[in-house]
Amino acid sequence: MKYSFVLAFAFSVSLANAQPPATPAEAKPFIPEGYEVLDYQTGDLNGDKKTDAILVLKISGEDSITEETPNRPMLLLIRQANGKLKKALQNDRAIMCRQCGGSFGDPYEAVSIKNNSLTLTFYGGSSWRWAYRYDFVYRPATKNWYLIKETQTNFHAGDPEATTKTAEISEAEAGIMPLEKFDYEAGYEESSWKVKAAKTFFYDSPKLGTKPRKAYLLKGNMAGGVRQLKNFIEISYDDGKGNFTSGYILRKDLEPVK
């Protein structure tokens, strides 16, 4: 079914929240005072056939904090030749905050390791639900991890089969993003745009050569920008009658309005 992944997201979130992670003794030195473990996963992160780990932390007592949105540090721990773990990278903005999930609650779903890559997944919203998946891969030439694909999914909880839309954003469209600089909020900025082409269509995913949707804008239409990519602008259009249309429009068909 079109919305089967939605059920998988919700089920895995409930499992993750119900099962506190087990943390081996070798990882405890990497936990600063005042923090506790949110997640701990192992696997080969860099292709050297050794078992590495990802440690996700949260402030102790985070569940009782209501007026702040404390960061959740994510540490990549790499197995050395002597068998010990060493911190290779820390990112304090890769993991969504506890309050970022809206009415649904904590959006954190999981971090996973597979084939020299790692994946972050989040799920939240209220009547309108959303899910984000970020895939990173290790590149030996630079000895670093890079975001290669972002997958966004939105749907209405009352009718997910009819309302589900999925967008995939590749590295070619989003630009090169090393893991240590990744920020789940980066890139989203309000802007205004005017259609300069005679007609321009909405796309579900920002990928050149794919088939657009039937929805379109005409020359002179004004729309709000959500995110700017290489060849596309993520747009939200209000027709003035309470009807909103969102999606990706070719950058070449728009001009910025200051």
Side-chain angles (χ1 to χ4, degrees):
M1 299 178 71
K2 191 175 182 180
Y3 56 93
S4 60
F5 76 95
V6 173
L7 301 178
F9 262 115
F11 182 65
S12 57
V13 168
S14 63
L15 285 179
N17 292 338
Q19 300 174 351
T23 309
E26 66 174 351
K28 292 182 179 179
F30 299 98
I31 305 174
E33 184 178 354
Y35 284 83
E36 58 188 60
V37 178
L38 175 64
D39 203 352
Y40 185 80
Q41 298 296 326
T42 60
D44 186 359
L45 281 166
N46 57 2
D48 63 359
K49 308 300 182 182
K50 297 182 178 67
T51 302
D52 309 307
I54 297 178
L55 178 63
V56 182
L57 303 172
K58 64 178 180 178
I59 290 180
S60 299
E62 180 192 67
D63 294 349
S64 62
I65 299 176
T66 58
E67 297 183 359
E68 300 179 22
T69 55
N71 291 331
R72 292 168 154 182
M74 182 180 74
L75 285 65
L76 268 61
L77 309 178
I78 302 302
R79 187 78 56 185
Q80 304 300 296
N82 61 8
K84 295 183 178 181
L85 291 174
K86 180 181 179 180
K87 184 173 74 171
L89 181 153
Q90 178 173 333
N91 185 323
D92 294 343
R93 295 288 301 169
I95 305 298
M96 289 186 181
C97 67
R98 181 180 180 275
Q99 294 90 341
C100 292
S103 300
F104 186 80
D106 189 345
Y108 180 73
E109 187 199 18
V111 57
S112 58
I113 304 171
K114 185 178 181 181
N115 298 330
N116 314 330
S117 64
L118 65 101
T119 299
L120 305 175
T121 50
F122 306 94
Y123 176 82
S126 53
S127 297
W128 280 97
R129 301 289 175 86
W130 48 259
Y132 287 88
R133 171 177 172 142
Y134 302 97
D135 291 299
F136 298 83
V137 68
Y138 179 75
R139 290 175 176 159
T142 56
K143 296 182 179 180
N144 208 343
W145 294 263
Y146 296 87
L147 179 65
I148 58 168
K149 185 172 68 172
E150 173 185 339
T151 306
Q152 306 175 4
T153 302
N154 298 274
F155 63 94
H156 195 282
D159 191 0
E161 186 171 17
T163 59
T164 296
K165 292 182 179 179
T166 298
E168 292 188 353
I169 305 174
S170 67
E171 182 182 50
E173 190 63 41
I176 297 174
M177 176 59 65
L179 178 55
E180 70 266 21
K181 294 184 179 180
F182 172 74
D183 185 331
Y184 63 85
E185 287 187 317
Y188 291 91
E189 182 179 0
E190 292 185 5
S191 56
S192 297
W193 299 83
K194 182 178 180 180
V195 178
K196 63 180 182 179
K199 178 188 287 188
T200 185
F201 290 85
F202 283 89
Y203 290 74
D204 283 334
S205 289
K207 185 177 181 180
L208 293 175
T210 58
K211 184 178 180 180
R213 295 178 357 217
K214 293 181 179 180
Y216 61 85
L217 297 180
L218 297 174
K219 187 174 183 177
N221 284 153
M222 302 290 294
V226 178
R227 184 179 183 184
Q228 299 183 39
L229 299 169
K230 181 179 179 180
N231 298 294
F232 290 84
I233 304 295
E234 186 175 357
I235 289 293
S236 178
Y237 175 70
D238 179 3
D239 67 357
K241 301 178 181 179
N243 300 312
F244 290 87
T245 305
S246 60
Y248 297 88
I249 286 182
L250 288 167
R251 177 187 280 266
K252 68 179 182 64
D253 292 343
L254 303 170
E255 58 183 8
V257 178
K258 295 183 179 181

